[in-house]
Amino acid sequence: MTGTQVDALVRIMPPAHGSGEEVDWDTAEAQLGTRLPADYHAFMAVYGGGNIGGQLSILLPLPVDSVWSGGTIAGETPNLRHYWEEEGGLAGTDFGADAVMAWGVGCSSPDLLGWLMTGPDPDRWPVVVWRRHVSWDEPSLALFDCGMAEFVRRLLLAEFDRCPLSDLSLWGRIEPFVHWREQDRRFLAGLDPITGEPDPTAEMF
């Protein structure tokens, strides 16, 4: 099932630039204190860590030597837990902040995306999103009963009832995925890390 979810994502957003990660999963999961979902494993094998359309960063399981990107699960999870505590958790649940773990970060409106670790089987963890900008009568935290790969696919195809993020940058828009190594290469070449076009601000760095 999890491979099928990533295969479905590949059909609309093909990987490029020699994507994929060689991950020491034993080390990563030992450091994080838990197994990670199989669709996340599959996503890393096919795509790796990187960015979708300059709007959504998919976090890495371990740090990398990167000049441009390379955010990690461990690096962003404390932020997601902070906002979980600040919001008093998700309405209708009694999970504490230690039950959430980040896997993605929005770029335009820096939303945080993660898993709600509802039990011992990571393949059953739903996606939780902390949205920075919502209307006054909406909660900032929202839960989605799907895995991370399925969440990304449904976001790009606008298959939720409404956009699950703060902004519409990826809502119903299939943008390319750019691996962090390709972002580094472009940045060091004076190009925009996402588009690959000449970057007029490159001389500032």
Side-chain angles (χ1 to χ4, degrees), residues 24 31 49 98 121 149 151 161 174 189 204:
D24 182 344
Q31 290 183 4
D98 59 352
D121 183 358
F151 179 93
D161 292 338
I174 299 171
M204 298 171 58

Side-chain angles (χ1 to χ4, degrees), residues 24-34 61-63 74 101:
D24 182 344
W25 290 106
D26 289 340
T27 296
E29 293 176 338
Q31 290 183 4
L32 293 169
T34 181
L62 290 169
M101 180 175 290

Side-chain angles (χ1 to χ4, degrees), residues 18-73:
S19 300
E21 304 290 341
E22 293 185 6
V23 177
D24 182 344
W25 290 106
D26 289 340
T27 296
E29 293 176 338
Q31 290 183 4
L32 293 169
T34 181
R35 290 186 300 121
L36 295 172
D39 68 330
Y40 177 75
H41 280 239
F43 189 99
M44 285 294 123
V46 173
Y47 292 99
N51 194 286
I52 301 172
Q55 303 300 327
L56 177 60
S57 291
I58 307 298
L59 301 172
L60 288 157
L62 290 169
V64 294
D65 185 13
S66 169
V67 297
W68 178 256
S69 58
T72 63
I73 290 174

Side-chain angles (χ1 to χ4, degrees), residues 65-113:
D65 185 13
S66 169
V67 297
W68 178 256
S69 58
T72 63
I73 290 174
E76 291 294 341
T77 291
N79 296 325
L80 180 56
R81 292 179 175 178
H82 165 77
Y83 290 116
W84 181 276
E85 288 184 340
E86 187 173 76
E87 296 294 325
L90 184 72
T93 73
D94 57 1
F95 291 99
D98 59 352
V100 293
M101 180 175 290
W103 58 258
V105 179
C107 299
S108 293
S109 296
D111 299 343
L112 292 168
L113 301 84

Side-chain angles (χ1 to χ4, degrees), residues 33-205:
T34 181
R35 290 186 300 121
L36 295 172
D39 68 330
Y40 177 75
H41 280 239
F43 189 99
M44 285 294 123
V46 173
Y47 292 99
N51 194 286
I52 301 172
Q55 303 300 327
L56 177 60
S57 291
I58 307 298
L59 301 172
L60 288 157
L62 290 169
V64 294
D65 185 13
S66 169
V67 297
W68 178 256
S69 58
T72 63
I73 290 174
E76 291 294 341
T77 291
N79 296 325
L80 180 56
R81 292 179 175 178
H82 165 77
Y83 290 116
W84 181 276
E85 288 184 340
E86 187 173 76
E87 296 294 325
L90 184 72
T93 73
D94 57 1
F95 291 99
D98 59 352
V100 293
M101 180 175 290
W103 58 258
V105 179
C107 299
S108 293
S109 296
D111 299 343
L112 292 168
L113 301 84
W115 297 286
L116 179 59
M117 298 182 286
T118 53
D121 183 358
D123 294 332
R124 299 178 66 87
W125 294 346
V127 168
V128 63
V129 178
W130 176 79
R131 300 168 295 183
R132 183 173 293 275
H133 303 296
V134 292
S135 60
W136 67 270
D137 58 343
E138 287 185 286
S140 295
L141 289 164
L143 195 66
F144 302 89
D145 190 16
C146 60
M148 63 85 62
E150 178 70 3
F151 179 93
V152 172
R153 187 192 67 81
R154 292 175 67 183
L155 170 68
L156 299 180
L157 294 178
E159 289 186 352
F160 294 106
D161 292 338
R162 57 184 298 182
C163 182
L165 302 181
S166 289
D167 66 83
L168 303 175
S169 301
L170 291 178
W171 182 237
R173 295 179 57 191
I174 299 171
E175 297 287 344
F177 178 88
V178 185
H179 190 277
W180 65 266
R181 290 190 187 91
E182 177 64 10
Q183 291 182 66
D184 276 6
R185 185 196 69 77
R186 293 176 180 180
F187 178 73
L188 293 172
L191 305 174
D192 184 287
I194 300 302
T195 67
E197 298 294 326
D199 184 356
T201 68
E203 295 181 359
M204 298 171 58
F205 295 95

